[in-house]
Amino acid sequence: MDADGSAARLRRDRFWGFFWFVAALVLTILPMQVQQGVSSVLRATVLAPFLWTQESLQRARLRTEEVDDLRAQLDEAMARLVGLAGLRLENEELRATLGLQARLPFPYVGASAVRPGTRGSDSLLLLDVGAQHGVSVGDPVISADGLLGVIREVGPVNSLALDWTHPDFAVSVITETSGVGGIVEAWRGSFREEDRLFLKGIAYNEPLSAGDLLVTSGLGAYFPRGIPVGWVDSEAGSEAGWQRSFWVRPVVPVERVTHVLVLRGSIRLEDVDLTPAWSGAEWDFPDAPEADTLTDSNALVDTEGSE
Amino acid sequence: MRNSILFVPLLVGFVLAHLLLRVGLGVGDAAPDLLTVSLLLSARQVRSGQAAGLGFFLGLLEDGFSILAFGANTLTLVVLALLASRTRDLLVSETPGFLLAYLTVGVWVRGVLHWIVTAADLRTRAIPALLIEAPVVAIYSASTVVLLLVILRVVQWDPQR
């Protein structure tokens, strides 16, 4: 009797072991939409308290760091406001007269960015804005330095974004000065600290110098023109003797990003150029070679094209 | 160890601490892998079917933040739970030294399994991932937990054994 019971328990145990294994296997091959639905439900229920904790801590940290700065700015702003009150009224009257609405140069929404920190969530950012804030899949995510990534999944009040270290990240770019264009993709190093960007598809006769700033070209469905992506670093190699590729040093250090802007869907217009938004920035290119130009066939050529 | 009154609260605490440290406090990989440790300890105390179910649930929690590798953590932890439950019949000991070795190997195997089931274009290179990162995480996680268990007297340190 005991032997029968033990055998039955063993069979039941094997059945359940096999069942959970098959269930886990099925999870990996579900359509991506279903997988995203499951993960969204988990984040909205079981994992919500932990996400809330991280968001709250981050907000508190930001507030602590910025409170002195904000106080000084507030004092300055109040002083200016007193002087500008008359101008503001006049401006509003003019806008009303012309039928314009007071608005920002381009639609965006600010968000706090947090890292999930679990295995398999590398290159993902959780943002505290979602569909209710006008965010949609494919919206560019930027920081004060330039392009950070793109929105991949949107919930009602939060969203998931890929940063530039993700293998799926790719963007069409041009140089700010010479207008040479190519595709920048993520390149993963042996360790995450070695992650960088890779520019490919540059013809041999096109001028490109170390230190050239690459900005989004505006081609494709997601990114408007003029968002800084990275600096040309060094030549990575050549393909079939007629194309070159380069390492690119990203402008946005992903590990330090805590606050981002999401450019909302309506920005995706081919004639939109965001270059002026960064024109006042002072770029600091660490370890950049000086303007001197390398002259052999495998080296960089200067921006005037002289080899 | 199972008889310890602290055993079940401790395992639940490990899971909560894992999520709190890695997600809530944003510590990330700097925190020990307490989720895997909790599964490895539990799997030796329950039947293999139950261990696999626990692995499924815990893996699903971690997959809540995975998009392109969804299910990899779940599959990894189910397989790990099945393997870990088999060790109960093969290795009978609860000394701190055994636990340290068992958890170190277990967490390292978890890293290896996860690397295998993750799509090729999403994972880092084999040698750094499996021979440098995974062993460091394994030793760190195992030693942290064993030290904690000894301090809490859930396992007894006996130099004679």
Side-chain angles (χ1 to χ4, degrees), chain A residues 36-58:
Chain A
Q36 288 180 355
V38 176
S39 61
S40 295
V41 169
L42 285 169
R43 288 197 302 274
T45 53
V46 187
L47 299 170
F50 303 102
L51 292 171
W52 177 85
T53 304
Q54 192 181 82
E55 287 168 7
S56 302
L57 279 175
Q58 186 146 315

Side-chain angles (χ1 to χ4, degrees), chain A residues 13 43 54 119 124 166 188, chain B residues 23-24 48 64-65 68 73 122:
Chain A
D13 221 26
R43 288 197 302 274
Q54 192 181 82
R119 206 182 287 254
L124 293 179
H166 198 280
R188 282 205 161 178
Chain B
V23 182
S48 61
F65 298 107
L68 299 180
N73 283 307
L122 293 175

Side-chain angles (χ1 to χ4, degrees), chain B:
Chain B
M1 190 168 75
R2 190 183 189 182
N3 294 330
S4 169
I5 195 167
L6 284 174
F7 181 68
V8 173
L10 205 60
L11 294 182
V12 175
F14 280 160
V15 174
L16 294 177
H18 176 87
L19 292 170
L20 188 66
L21 286 170
R22 294 210 170 195
V23 182
L25 301 181
V27 177
D29 290 339
D33 190 352
L34 297 176
L35 198 79
T36 304
V37 166
S38 177
L39 179 68
L40 287 167
L41 293 175
S42 308
R44 284 177 59 81
Q45 311 295 337
V46 297
R47 304 189 70 84
S48 61
Q50 294 168 328
L54 186 64
F56 185 90
F57 174 72
L58 296 180
L60 206 54
L61 284 182
E62 284 223 302
D63 276 331
F65 298 107
S66 301
I67 290 183
L68 299 180
F70 188 84
N73 283 307
T74 309
L75 186 58
T76 297
L77 291 189
V78 167
V79 173
L80 185 71
L82 290 169
L83 292 174
S85 67
R86 296 292 300 159
T87 65
R88 184 181 41 191
D89 304 328
L90 303 173
L91 305 165
V92 184
S93 175
E94 288 192 350
T95 62
F98 167 76
L99 276 182
L100 185 65
Y102 167 70
L103 294 178
T104 302
V105 173
V107 177
W108 179 74
V109 168
R110 188 253 201 264
V112 173
L113 289 171
H114 188 266
W115 189 88
I116 291 170
V117 300
T118 304
D121 56 342
L122 293 175
R123 61 196 183 197
T124 51
R125 292 180 194 167
I127 289 176
L130 305 183
L131 299 183
I132 300 175
E133 286 179 24
V136 169
V137 171
I139 293 167
Y140 172 45
S141 303
S143 52
T144 305
V145 168
V146 170
L147 189 65
L148 189 66
L149 293 178
V150 169
I151 290 171
L152 293 174
R153 297 178 183 276
V154 176
V155 294
Q156 300 295 322
W157 176 259
D158 182 1
Q160 301 299 320
R161 293 170 73 181

